[in-house]
Amino acid sequence: MIKAKILLILTILITQFAFSQQKSRADRFFEKGDYINAAQQYEEELNQEGYTKHILRNITTSYYNTFQFRKAYRYLKILTSGKFYDKDKTYDNRYNFMMYQVLSALGEYEKSVEYLSLYKSNNTVRDFSASDAISTIEDFKLKDDDYTIASAVFNSEASDFGAIRRDSILYFTTDRRPYGPLDKNYRWTHRPFLDIYKVKVDQNNKPVSEIETISKEINSKLHEGNFCFTADGNTIYLSKSNSEKGKKKFDSINNNAIHLYKAIKVDGKWGKPEKLEFNDVNYSVEHPSLSANGEMLYFSSNMPGGYGDFDIYFVTVNQDGTYGKPTNVGPTINTENREQFPFISEKGNLFFSSNGHLGLGMMDIFVSELRRGEFIKPINLGAPINSSYDDFSITYYNETDGFFASNRKKAGDDIYTFSQIGDIFPREYRVRFEVRDYATDNYIANSDVVLYNNDNVKVYESQLDSIAAFDIKIFPGRYNFKASADKYKTRTKPLVVKEKEEETYIIYLDRAKDAVVTDKSDDKNRIQINDSTNINERTRISESNTERKKEEITKTRLREILLADKDGPPVIERNGKLYFDMPPIYFDYDKWNIRADSKKVLDKLAVKLERYKTVYINISSHTDSRGTDSYNQVLSAKRAESTRNYLALVGYVNARRMQFVGFGESQPLIDCDSKVCTEEDHQTNRRSEFEIVRY
């Protein structure tokens, strides 16, 4: 019997030893969650073994988890295309979702949606439309900004997030310093474990005291993360590594979950955090947020029975200190992917982060309005709150101001301050539509008009009178404005209605036959160009031969003067045309606002245009290749228009001297179709050019 037991033990030991020998050094790092070292080791194994499915799966996950998205894409592309050695070319569906996320982070959202569509279809989702998804993403990219943001001045090289302000004290989570000199680093990040810190700030959120830990009772050698306070500030709910007596507690697959704890302040000092009763060793419960009345506690959890990964839940907070049963907020909010970092506003609206709802990439921040006791369909907050990277942990400390976190600038997280300047929930705006003659700018009497929404449903239809205009209250978004009139060519103009009252949208019609309309206020016969879509129209001259000859001499001399004048932006000749040789007018990705570095350039151009009042220019704007052709056409037109508007409104250049046109992605300086361009390559393609069309 004893010999049998010894043989059994030896057999088990030999089997375990043999099994451990099958695991590579990279695999052991990977299983421990040390993705930085795992990626390095897998790179070495790839050099030795080549592309195997096992290595490709783990190296892509390692790079994805450490936010090295270009490297993750390199190997995901090989995995999802089946270009590896294994005979079985199948792979888990989650890598399609990972590819969607990675491509979104790289700004390639049109390509990314193809993988999202594949992911959805493999999950038996039949009603997903890739074209509708792209249209939805483009709509909230093109919406006007509802927020202004700025990086918090107290950010560090470490990860900083989860900021909450109470009166003049600002609390936040960070891994900026170890708890003690001998403490271990967190394997995933190779940085210290998270702790909660505090600092006194002024009205502009600038520190006026030293940054210090919240309390040695609350912070430990493990993680303390997102948190919230009761209204009186004497109770804190916090996310914390599941532990007992300072030691981690593990589930059945050796994971250390995050649990919710509560600590109470007595006589100005925080007591020891205690676990909430609904935690469970087998899953995480994290990211607490209390309702304004303190009766509901919201949180995120991957507990069984949810819709997938992490979901948003809530419990009732009873007066006796007990809690109700965790309740899932439902499929309107939660998806098969991740929903985390809930925040309940004073009005009861739910802000949260998700990578399951359509967004700009990775985790985006959404809000769901509370109507009649239920949360309605979430709204993406759009740029600049959201980016192509992770954006999360939003909180307000008054009606319009607050904080959120993002890793858009580096692998670690930074805290951003924000001010809400627009309406985040849809509402109707009163806008005006007009039909005008392209040549004379006059109203076209008795015009027939139809306004369609983006679903091609008629919103308005009428025949106008002598004042060819109408006012209507409509929601912001994409529309098609169709107009026709006797002796004019019918035209349909796509447009984006802004979140702005009393905005005017004009459609210009051409006469059925070419015509030149005389403007008696000028000694020349010309057609006024008011619509960038007909930018090839040129000034038409009909003068006597003597006057024409005199003008040619004058133009020749002025041309010489322009080419010789080096004060301000110089004029150069290219392919027989004159251009202002300007430093690039760059735009941030997906934006059309004039950046601070470009304002100085445009200011110098405005001064020069003021010296040469007979010079007329055409502003052409170009985008990078990310996005659809139609979206980039709209975006480039907005950029050209904002450039013209800046010169007119700030530089005081007569707007009639400036035409503008958007070329979208049709004329890139660097071809990104045959390669994955760097951000610098895309920035080079995002540009404006200034051609002199009349002088």
Side-chain angles (χ1 to χ4, degrees), residues 36-173:
I36 295 174
N37 280 326
Q40 293 174 353
Q41 293 299 316
Y42 282 127
E43 289 284 5
E44 294 183 9
E45 291 185 16
L46 279 173
N47 292 332
Q48 298 170 1
E49 301 180 26
Y51 295 135
T52 66
K53 189 193 308 188
H54 169 74
I55 294 177
L56 287 172
R57 286 184 307 198
N58 288 1
I59 196 170
T60 56
T61 302
S62 298
Y63 281 131
Y64 177 83
N65 285 342
T66 53
F67 310 108
Q68 300 179 74
F69 298 126
R70 287 195 177 278
K71 292 181 178 180
Y73 171 72
R74 174 185 174 187
Y75 295 115
L76 272 171
K77 189 175 182 181
I78 298 169
L79 177 64
T80 56
S81 63
K83 295 179 179 179
F84 47 84
Y85 294 149
D86 306 57
K87 291 182 179 180
D88 181 4
K89 301 300 182 182
T90 61
Y91 58 90
D92 193 278
N93 194 33
R94 69 177 182 271
Y95 294 102
N96 288 320
F97 186 79
M98 190 182 293
M99 187 65 135
Y100 156 67
Q101 290 274 278
V102 166
L103 283 169
S104 296
L106 296 176
E108 302 285 353
Y109 71 87
E110 189 176 11
K111 293 179 183 177
S112 75
V113 169
E114 296 175 9
Y115 285 91
L116 179 61
S117 179
L118 181 58
Y119 171 79
K120 294 280 189 182
S121 64
N122 288 340
N123 277 353
T124 66
V125 176
R126 302 298 178 216
D127 59 350
F128 180 80
S129 167
S131 59
D132 288 348
I134 291 172
S135 179
T136 298
I137 294 170
E138 290 178 348
D139 282 345
F140 60 68
K141 281 187 174 187
L142 291 171
K143 70 190 290 289
D144 287 347
D145 295 347
D146 291 325
Y147 294 87
T148 58
I149 70 168
S151 179
V153 297
F154 51 84
N155 283 316
S156 66
E157 291 300 313
S159 284
D160 304 303
F161 63 94
I164 291 177
R165 179 168 175 167
R166 290 189 53 82
D167 299 324
S168 62
I169 304 298
L170 191 143
Y171 302 85
F172 64 99
T173 301

Side-chain angles (χ1 to χ4, degrees), residues 134-306:
I134 291 172
S135 179
T136 298
I137 294 170
E138 290 178 348
D139 282 345
F140 60 68
K141 281 187 174 187
L142 291 171
K143 70 190 290 289
D144 287 347
D145 295 347
D146 291 325
Y147 294 87
T148 58
I149 70 168
S151 179
V153 297
F154 51 84
N155 283 316
S156 66
E157 291 300 313
S159 284
D160 304 303
F161 63 94
I164 291 177
R165 179 168 175 167
R166 290 189 53 82
D167 299 324
S168 62
I169 304 298
L170 191 143
Y171 302 85
F172 64 99
T173 301
T174 182
D175 64 1
R176 61 179 59 196
R177 287 193 292 269
Y179 191 79
L182 300 179
D183 291 332
K184 296 180 179 179
N185 285 339
Y186 181 39
R187 284 175 178 163
W188 191 320
T189 62
H190 287 196
R191 293 195 52 80
F193 284 81
L194 297 167
D195 280 333
I196 301 173
Y197 279 69
K198 66 178 181 179
V199 62
K200 188 173 183 179
V201 295
D202 62 16
Q203 61 182 4
N204 297 316
N205 293 309
K206 293 182 179 179
V208 294
S209 72
E210 293 294 321
I211 297 175
E212 58 183 353
T213 60
I214 185 174
S215 164
K216 288 186 178 180
E217 286 293 332
I218 289 180
N219 289 331
S220 70
K221 295 181 180 181
L222 301 176
H223 285 311
E224 285 76 38
N226 282 75
F227 54 92
C228 67
F229 296 96
T230 53
D232 60 11
N234 291 326
T235 300
I236 183 174
Y237 290 91
L238 67 148
S239 305
K240 183 178 174 66
S241 297
N242 181 23
S243 63
E244 289 183 7
K245 297 180 180 180
K247 293 186 178 181
K248 294 180 182 179
K249 298 286 290 182
F250 296 94
D251 61 17
S252 58
I253 56 174
N254 209 35
N255 287 330
N256 176 225
I258 301 297
H259 282 177
L260 285 184
Y261 289 70
K262 179 175 74 172
I264 298 174
K265 185 189 291 184
V266 179
D267 297 330
K269 292 185 178 181
W270 289 107
K272 183 179 179 181
E274 301 291 340
K275 287 185 185 181
L276 301 190
E277 61 192 42
F278 52 86
N279 288 303
D280 190 296
V281 69
N282 293 308
Y283 51 81
S284 288
V285 183
E286 58 191 30
H287 306 160
S289 180
L290 272 173
S291 61
N293 59 13
E295 295 178 357
M296 307 286 283
L297 178 66
Y298 290 80
F299 57 90
S300 180
S301 177
N302 61 347
M303 67 176 63

Side-chain angles (χ1 to χ4, degrees), residues 16 48 59 64 118 268 367-368 382 463 487 489 516 520 525 553 597 619 621 628 638 645:
Q16 289 179 340
Q48 298 170 1
I59 196 170
Y64 177 83
L118 181 58
V367 62
S368 176
Q463 184 178 72
K487 297 181 181 180
K489 296 177 182 178
V516 176
K520 294 182 180 179
N525 294 327
I553 295 172
D597 55 355
I619 304 166
S621 181
T628 62
K638 280 178 169 285
N645 290 347

